[in-house]
Amino acid sequence: MAALEDVESLPRGGFRCRLCHVPVANKPSLEDHLRGKKHQRLENLRTARQAQEQRSLFVSGFRKGTPASELSDYFQAYGEVVNVVMDKEKGVYAIVELKDREVLEKVLAEPQHSLGGVKLRVKPREKKDFKYTPPRKQGSAKREQLSPEKLAQELCQATDVDAQMSLVVQLFEFSEGERRLRDLLVALFQEVFLEFFPGAAILPFGSSVNGFDVSGCDLDLFLDLEKTKNFQASAKGCGEPQAEGGASPEPDARSEDSILSDIDLASAAVPEILELVATVLRKCIPGVHNVQVVPKARRPVVKFCHKESGLRGDISIDNKLALCNTRFLQLCMEADERVRPLVYAVRYWAKQQVLAGNPFGGGPLLNNYALSLLVLFFLQTRTPPVLPTVAHLRALSEDGEQTVVDGWDCSFPKDSARWESSGNTESLCSLLAGFFQVFGDYDFAGSVISLREGRPLTLPSFLASEAGSRLKLGPFNLQDPFELDHNVAANVNEKTALRFQRCCQNAAKYCRSLQYQRKSSKGRAWGLVRLFQPGAPEAEAPAAADSFVIGLPLPPAQAHQPPCQAEGAHQLSFRKACASIAAIFQEVLKCSCSETPPGLEEEEQQQQQVEAGLPAAGAKRSLDTEEGSSGSPPAKRLRADAVAPAQEGMAWQWAVWHHVWLGRRRVRRQLHGLQQTMDALELEATVSEAISQQEGEARPGSPLLQFTLCAQMGDGASSGQEPRLSLCFTPAPEQAAAFQEFFHFLQGFLPRLVRQHLASKA
Ligand code: ATP
Ligand code: MG
């Protein structure tokens, strides 16, 4: 490949060598690099790999467990076999490297191959781009999970709020290792999908690539089957099928045992194709598990988990607009260096306030995409603006950049250097304060936020427009910048919208104080630290009559507690109560935490939780102030707590697998003989076990119910009344009715069991 194809131009005159992943500042340095040893070595390696590819076969169809030697013996009949690489994990395919093209052609000339009585699928190995992956450094690809305490400590040491905001980015963004791991995974997916879907491309989008990456965030992938469809169509017709780029005809798309033989991609429904994608994921991609098709989502996806890294991901096949809005977010991030820290700070604040991050992809909270748009909109509306409007960008776009996706105009300059630079000089500190101020007073229900126009659209005029008649209006109206009839916050309910506004008001008030603006000379929490302290719905607003809330008394603190230690003691009681609640859901009701920390196997994780008596630290939306510190003395906690009593909060995401709330009395009667030998907790656990067994499968395909549980220390703790714990349950969307019954059962069951559990621990 010519060296020039390896070079990518960067904004402001720089370049990047795609082959070596090296950025260089200017042309002379680029030339030096291209002549240099590293580049030359990689070029040679690429040439060697390509030659190797050209004489290799992709073989599948053999019996599971077939040894490499057997395949090697079989193909020896046609000429020398240099190497056989088996798909280690699933044993369903192998790459057979032959001595030269001549042997390969001999093998391919044979119309049929069979080994041990089964028919083999034999085809040339797909050609793929050579990607250099530097040797892996020692240690994990993932950052260690950052505890809120550690985050607060680090932030307190910064010099000012601007420095704190930059630090937030550094602490949350991907490590080099994690980025590389994602690149490798994408390359692996690409390789395997190409084998099954000729011409297919795997394209990452979302936070892995839009510049707002947070260690451990999901991996959003788009499988582009456009070329495969064309290819299939031409293979079906009588013309000679041409693979991508007019390369050699692809023999398999027509053959009766091709994965494509049973499906017509052009006419098949999306869920049907996703089932096929799921099959490839399950059977052919090493290290992938928990594969699940979610056909009913607005954008149907296949969800998966990568075992080794713990990464979770989605593959969609019908989401080109997301590629486009990902590029837009990325360009906004490049256009002004304040965008990134601002988005990170707002995302983390919103997560801590339980305003953003929906655990089930639905739910009433804002998602991170919507939240990022809100920040961008805010930046468009500053005087002078920090970012241009989407309409203005459209006007700046040139001929080659005009794009229409699914009927929507997605034209904007694809190089941020061509976006006019901003005359705005506000600091990060004041921009963040401004964000809260603006949205603290915002009428989310009475207008539509438009990034295209860079201003709110009033309802009457918006409704009269074409997109306006289709957009789903609600308590929070945020128009997608490209898909103009889509409200990206349509899922947000009134309660969350009001809470968002109230939280912004509180934050704006705090931002006016010196505690926000200046570093504390006395080692107290200042700046972002107090903004990032967790809050939860019930802290600001009494629970609505129809919400699912259970109040519990906190277990008594130690007797004769000096008043100055009472607060710490309440926190300890709170943590004990939370540990009991987690144990009851997990051990007694056989529920599971639906999110596990990256890198941990579920069983391992559960084991750890059981041992620690704690909820999953990795719960995506956790207000995880505890993080393994259930037993740590209050003195170990940050001094910040002493300044502003921390609102203790804990959140879990639970999945219920069986009807453990039904017919317990009957089962208890059946277990009559055991009652004498077991304590109450064991007995209840056995009852749940029996119900699960009666229902069959240990873990059916999907849980019966999913819900988020937020535990919050009640007001009593600070006002001298009896301290209470408030448990707020939020069922997954569409499950509110089914959840009612389970909740009714919990209202009686949970307080009793918590009492018993705490007593058993005492
Ligand atoms: P994170 O995964 O860290 O929460 P994200 O930006 O990747 O952040 P996802 O919910 O994973 O958020 O969505 C992935 C991408 O899909 C988004 O970045 C955006 O491009 C697109 N997307 C998500 N939600 C919407 C939506 N409601 N409307 C349009 N596009 C969306
Ligand atoms: Mg994502």
Side-chain angles (χ1 to χ4, degrees):
M1 195 188 288
L4 276 185
E5 285 177 35
D6 295 329
V7 178
E8 180 187 345
S9 297
L10 296 178
R12 301 176 233 295
F15 297 94
R16 200 172 101 99
C17 172
R18 290 196 184 107
L19 180 61
C20 313
H21 302 291
V22 172
V24 287
N26 49 36
K27 233 190 172 137
S29 323
L30 175 70
E31 280 159 10
D32 282 350
H33 169 77
L34 295 179
R35 278 194 301 269
K37 248 197 212 157
K38 178 175 181 178
H39 186 83
Q40 293 294 324
R41 188 171 57 78
L42 286 182
E43 248 189 6
N44 293 341
L45 186 62
R46 176 169 60 192
T47 313
R49 289 265 172 88
Q50 281 167 347
Q52 197 181 27
E53 249 167 43
Q54 282 175 0
R55 52 173 195 263
S56 297
L57 295 166
F58 179 83
V59 181
S60 56
F62 46 83
R63 283 187 207 286
K64 229 178 160 180
T66 303
S69 56
E70 218 170 284
L71 284 168
S72 176
D73 289 349
Y74 173 80
F75 289 104
Q76 294 280 1
Y78 298 86
E80 191 180 328
V81 174
V82 178
N83 196 14
V84 176
V85 180
M86 304 292 293
D87 140 38
K88 259 194 283 173
E89 183 142 337
K90 322 240 169 174
V92 291
Y93 67 86
I95 305 288
V96 178
E97 188 191 338
L98 304 163
K99 184 167 160 262
D100 49 37
R101 288 280 309 176
E102 220 175 287
V103 184
L104 181 123
E105 264 143 31
K106 262 201 229 162
V107 175
L108 293 177
E110 188 74 49
Q112 218 172 10
H113 293 274
S114 57
L115 181 64
V118 296
K119 204 165 134 198
L120 295 180
R121 291 176 60 212
V122 178
K123 57 180 198 163
R125 197 174 171 196
E126 286 288 346
K127 286 150 211 56
K128 58 181 194 297
D129 287 345
F130 172 79
K131 280 215 180 86
Y132 166 64
T133 37
R136 246 176 119 156
K137 285 205 191 104
Q138 288 280 305
S140 154
K142 278 252 183 78
R143 254 178 218 297
E144 263 180 42
Q145 231 177 358
L146 183 68
S147 72
E149 280 87 357
K150 182 94 179 79
L151 173 67
Q153 256 167 17
E154 298 251 2
L155 291 178
C156 276
Q157 282 164 22
T159 47
D160 55 23
V161 173
D162 282 37
Q164 283 189 329
M165 287 176 70
S166 306
L167 193 57
V168 169
V169 177
Q170 283 172 31
L171 292 171
F172 284 109
E173 70 184 345
F174 292 157
S175 63
E176 253 311 293
E178 182 163 0
R179 188 166 290 288
R180 208 175 313 127
L181 173 90
R182 284 170 190 253
D183 287 349
L184 275 175
L185 267 179
V186 172
L188 173 70
F189 277 62
Q190 173 69 63
E191 185 172 333
V192 175
F193 277 112
L194 252 187
E195 299 288 358
F196 292 98
F197 298 98
I202 275 278
L203 304 164
F205 66 98
S207 55
S208 296
V209 287
N210 66 12
F212 305 118
D213 44 289
V214 167
S215 182
C217 68
D218 65 355
L219 176 63
D220 303 295
L221 297 173
F222 173 67
L223 175 62
D224 187 351
L225 293 173
E226 215 44 53
K227 285 188 177 148
T228 320
K229 278 181 198 167
N230 295 341
F231 175 68
Q232 192 183 36
S234 63
K236 278 198 166 163
C238 42
E240 264 299 274
Q242 288 286 300
E244 189 185 354
S248 63
E250 165 57 59
D252 258 7
R254 270 189 305 189
S255 80
E256 54 187 39
D257 54 353
S258 156
I259 195 164
L260 294 179
S261 59
D262 293 341
I263 191 164
D264 175 20
L265 291 177
S267 62
V270 169
E272 206 184 329
I273 304 175
L274 286 179
E275 281 300 341
L276 202 60
V277 170
T279 307
V280 173
L281 278 176
R282 284 190 194 109
K283 297 210 169 149
C284 304
I285 305 202
V288 164
H289 72 157
N290 280 357
V291 177
Q292 208 187 342
V293 178
V294 185
K296 296 220 170 92
R298 179 173 170 267
R299 300 277 180 194
V301 292
V302 184
K303 286 183 176 290
F304 64 86
C305 183
H306 181 250
K307 216 169 185 176
E308 198 189 328
S309 62
L311 270 187
R312 279 153 206 279
D314 289 343
I315 298 187
S316 50
I317 55 165
D318 181 22
N319 204 1
K320 273 213 168 126
L321 278 164
L323 293 182
C324 191
N325 63 41
T326 292
R327 183 80 185 115
F328 169 69
L329 292 191
Q330 198 182 17
L331 288 167
C332 288
M333 182 273 293
E334 282 174 23
D336 192 290
E337 61 188 16
R338 291 166 292 182
V339 173
R340 200 165 181 232
L342 211 54
V343 169
Y344 275 70
V346 170
R347 279 190 178 196
Y348 192 68
W349 164 81
K351 178 183 165 208
Q352 292 296 86
Q353 306 312 309
V354 201
L355 293 167
N358 285 305
F360 313 116
L365 307 183
L366 282 160
N367 69 22
N368 278 330
Y369 172 63
L371 206 55
S372 310
L373 291 181
L374 210 56
V375 176
L376 302 183
F377 171 75
F378 162 74
L379 292 173
Q380 290 176 332
T381 55
R382 298 312 280 171
T383 322
V386 178
L387 288 176
T389 66
V390 177
H392 184 68
L393 289 173
R394 198 210 165 280
L396 285 180
S397 65
E398 290 171 353
D399 278 355
E401 290 164 338
Q402 263 132 39
T403 326
V404 174
V405 179
D406 296 348
W408 298 107
D409 189 343
C410 300
S411 315
F412 49 81
K414 300 295 182 292
D415 178 354
S416 59
R418 294 221 334 276
W419 293 27
E420 288 150 10
S421 59
S422 161
N424 182 303
T425 55
E426 282 177 273
S427 68
L428 281 170
C429 172
S430 95
L431 283 172
L432 184 63
F435 175 91
F436 294 128
Q437 170 114 38
V438 166
F439 292 116
D441 289 335
Y442 209 84
D443 181 9
F444 292 107
S447 59
V448 176
I449 291 174
S450 160
L451 278 92
R452 184 149 285 243
E453 305 284 333
R455 64 182 172 88
L457 307 176
T458 54
L459 285 188
S461 64
F462 178 69
L463 285 171
S465 70
E466 203 197 325
S469 59
R470 292 193 305 261
L471 183 139
K472 189 175 160 206
L473 286 172
F476 205 116
N477 301 311
L478 174 52
Q479 185 189 41
D480 189 88
F482 304 105
E483 196 180 1
L484 298 180
D485 65 359
H486 172 46
N487 177 5
V488 300
N491 60 312
V492 173
N493 63 16
E494 197 176 344
K495 194 171 151 195
T496 306
L498 286 174
R499 221 161 47 70
F500 187 86
Q501 195 174 37
R502 210 167 22 239
C503 288
C504 284
Q505 285 163 4
N506 292 343
K509 193 167 152 204
Y510 166 65
C511 288
R512 287 194 288 272
S513 73
L514 279 182
Q515 272 168 323
Y516 169 66
Q517 291 160 13
R518 286 213 202 128
K519 179 172 179 158
S520 162
S521 54
K522 297 184 182 145
R524 292 183 176 164
W526 64 278
L528 295 186
V529 178
R530 290 196 53 184
L531 217 45
F532 286 172
Q533 280 169 357
E538 285 60 47
E540 299 109 28
D546 61 346
S547 67
F548 298 107
V549 179
I550 296 178
L552 292 177
L554 272 185
Q558 266 175 294
H560 313 302
Q561 198 77 38
C564 61
Q565 287 176 21
E567 190 176 307
H570 288 323
Q571 287 171 359
L572 195 58
S573 309
F574 173 81
R575 280 178 242 154
K576 278 189 190 163
C578 284
S580 288
I581 290 161
I584 289 162
F585 277 108
Q586 192 161 308
E587 296 164 42
V588 179
L589 293 176
K590 312 291 174 198
C591 300
S592 60
C593 253
S594 60
E595 297 273 350
T596 49
L600 281 187
E601 288 308 302
E602 199 176 340
E603 296 88 318
E604 197 185 328
Q605 162 69 5
Q606 284 176 1
Q607 185 58 34
Q608 287 189 5
Q609 287 166 26
V610 172
E611 278 162 16
L614 274 176
K620 193 169 182 180
R621 215 194 71 189
S622 71
L623 309 176
D624 39 6
T625 46
E626 315 314 320
E627 257 226 332
S629 62
S630 68
S632 70
K636 273 202 184 160
R637 293 171 62 79
L638 252 202
R639 285 197 55 186
D641 292 352
V643 181
Q647 289 167 332
E648 286 280 350
M650 186 75 99
W652 305 261
Q653 293 147 32
W654 291 106
V656 189
W657 297 89
H658 295 281
H659 292 89
V660 286
W661 65 95
L662 294 180
R664 295 188 75 87
R665 201 173 299 168
R666 178 180 45 81
V667 177
R668 231 178 267 127
R669 272 203 305 274
Q670 289 166 359
L671 297 173
H672 182 65
L674 292 174
Q675 288 197 2
Q676 276 73 32
T677 59
M678 289 180 175
D679 68 22
L681 291 160
E682 282 172 327
L683 180 68
E684 294 299 344
T686 312
V687 170
S688 305
E689 191 62 54
I691 294 175
S692 312
Q693 277 171 13
Q694 283 166 13
E695 286 186 5
E697 263 184 286
R699 282 282 148 93
S702 53
L704 289 175
L705 295 172
Q706 285 179 293
F707 63 93
T708 303
L709 170 56
C710 288
Q712 189 75 25
M713 191 116 97
D715 283 343
S718 51
S719 58
Q721 298 157 14
E722 184 199 356
R724 285 183 74 78
L725 176 77
S726 135
L727 298 175
C728 179
F729 297 77
T730 310
E734 298 104 46
Q735 291 192 339
F739 187 78
Q740 187 85 44
E741 208 177 53
F742 180 57
F743 178 72
H744 183 66
F745 154 76
L746 287 179
Q747 281 176 307
F749 184 81
L750 200 56
R752 177 167 64 85
L753 269 277
V754 170
R755 261 198 320 275
Q756 284 168 344
H757 193 270
L758 285 167
S760 74
K761 293 285 154 194

